[in-house]
């Protein structure tokens, strides 16, 4: 079984460096729309077992662009557990405006020490990845690990990146650190997350052990 993960396209909040978590949304800008369509072209010949999207508009719109280009025109199933990490009162704020700065530093550099109750009242990393990995495990179980058709999950930067790292068995303390696979440094942006409109593919034979087949693919965005 393969699981395809696509991060949503670039938004206005991305350009403004604002917190854009599970309780805020911002429309896709032109480059984000074009990226979603490019991802659709990249995946147009892939027949998916099922397509899942975060309920947030920036992700669902990206999923629609992908599905519109797909020759099988699959339905999109909204999966609430793929909602982005919640930042509470920080959502919508410029990153530079968030207080206290000590917790901003923990969020970005020391995720195991981040305490949302001292920040914007959002989610801990542990609670966050518990719900997102459960969504992946349930989707794989429903499809069956022997399925020769992959799943597609369209969501967010932290959902995609941290869910994958959790499924790989990487501890929370290492979530924001450089990722090495088989001795090779994997490309990331913005404190260790994957690019907008990027494609990452995982494989599993048992819904327990996951391996990376493709990481943060973006070549099609320049085509």
């Amino acid at each position: 079984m393969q699981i395809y993960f696509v991060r949503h396209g670039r938004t206005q909040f991305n350009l403004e460096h604002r917190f854009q978590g599970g309780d805020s949304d911002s429309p896709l800008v032109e480059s984000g729309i074009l990226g979603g369509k490019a991802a659709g072209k990249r995946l147009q010949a892939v027949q998916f077992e099922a397509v899942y999207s975060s309920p947030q508009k920036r992700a669902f719109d990206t999923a629609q662009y992908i599905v519109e280009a797909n020759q099988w025109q699959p339905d999109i199933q909204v999966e609430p557990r793929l909602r982005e990490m919640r930042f509470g009162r920080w959502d919508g704020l410029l990153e530079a405006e968030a207080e206290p700065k000590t917790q901003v530093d923990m969020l970005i550099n020391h995720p195991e020490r981040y305490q949302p109750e001292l920040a914007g009242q959002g989610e801990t990393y542990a609670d966050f990845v518990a719900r997102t990995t459960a969504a992946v495990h349930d989707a794989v179980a429903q499809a069956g690990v022997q399925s020769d058709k992959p799943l597609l999950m369209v969501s967010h930067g932290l959902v995609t990146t941290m869910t994958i790292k959790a499924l790989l068995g990487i501890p929370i303390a290492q979530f924001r650190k450089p990722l090495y696979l088989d001795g090779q440094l994997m490309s990331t942006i913005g404190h260790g997350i994957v690019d907008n409109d990027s494609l990452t593919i995982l494989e599993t034979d048992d819904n327990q052990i996951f391996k990376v087949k493709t990481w943060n693919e973006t070549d099609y965005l320049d085509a």
Side-chain angles (χ1 to χ4, degrees), residues 93-114:
L93 287 181
L94 291 170
E95 294 171 7
E97 294 176 342
E99 297 285 351
K101 299 302 182 189
T102 54
Q103 286 302 314
V104 177
D105 179 65
M106 298 303 174
L107 174 72
I108 294 173
N109 298 307
H110 305 283
E112 80 283 6
R113 293 159 57 187
Y114 172 58

Side-chain angles (χ1 to χ4, degrees), residues 38-124:
K41 184 176 180 181
R42 162 67 175 82
L43 300 174
Q44 63 184 349
V46 180
Q47 185 177 11
F48 292 105
E49 179 71 34
V51 176
Y52 296 91
S53 172
S54 159
Q56 292 176 270
K57 191 175 188 301
R58 60 190 185 270
F60 190 81
D61 285 353
T62 303
Q64 285 186 307
Y65 288 122
I66 294 172
V67 165
E68 285 172 2
N70 190 271
Q71 66 186 73
W72 281 277
Q73 296 286 293
D75 293 330
I76 302 171
Q77 301 181 48
V78 173
E79 172 50 81
R81 291 174 294 180
L82 295 179
R83 181 179 291 273
E84 182 61 294
M85 185 176 181
R86 285 189 160 96
F87 299 116
R89 294 190 303 272
W90 283 2
D91 257 331
L93 287 181
L94 291 170
E95 294 171 7
E97 294 176 342
E99 297 285 351
K101 299 302 182 189
T102 54
Q103 286 302 314
V104 177
D105 179 65
M106 298 303 174
L107 174 72
I108 294 173
N109 298 307
H110 305 283
E112 80 283 6
R113 293 159 57 187
Y114 172 58
Q115 295 177 272
E117 68 273 14
L118 302 179
Q121 302 295 319
E123 289 179 288
T124 64

Side-chain angles (χ1 to χ4, degrees), residues 160-181:
T160 299
T161 313
M162 304 314 165
T163 301
I164 289 170
K165 289 182 176 182
L167 291 170
L168 294 176
I170 296 172
I172 290 173
Q174 303 295 316
F175 274 7
R176 293 287 194 160
K177 295 186 182 300
L179 175 64
Y180 288 86
L181 296 176

Side-chain angles (χ1 to χ4, degrees), residues 159-222:
V159 175
T160 299
T161 313
M162 304 314 165
T163 301
I164 289 170
K165 289 182 176 182
L167 291 170
L168 294 176
I170 296 172
I172 290 173
Q174 303 295 316
F175 274 7
R176 293 287 194 160
K177 295 186 182 300
L179 175 64
Y180 288 86
L181 296 176
D182 298 326
Q184 181 179 355
L185 177 63
M186 299 292 101
S187 65
T188 58
I189 62 167
H191 308 296
I193 64 175
V194 296
D195 290 83
N196 290 101
D197 289 310
S198 63
L199 171 65
T200 299
I201 304 174
L202 291 189
E203 293 182 321
T204 183
D205 293 327
D206 58 6
N207 205 7
Q208 298 296 321
I209 297 173
F210 293 80
K211 296 180 180 179
V212 174
K213 180 182 179 184
T214 299
W215 174 265
N216 198 24
E217 180 185 334
T218 58
D219 292 351
Y220 51 84
L221 299 178
D222 300 323

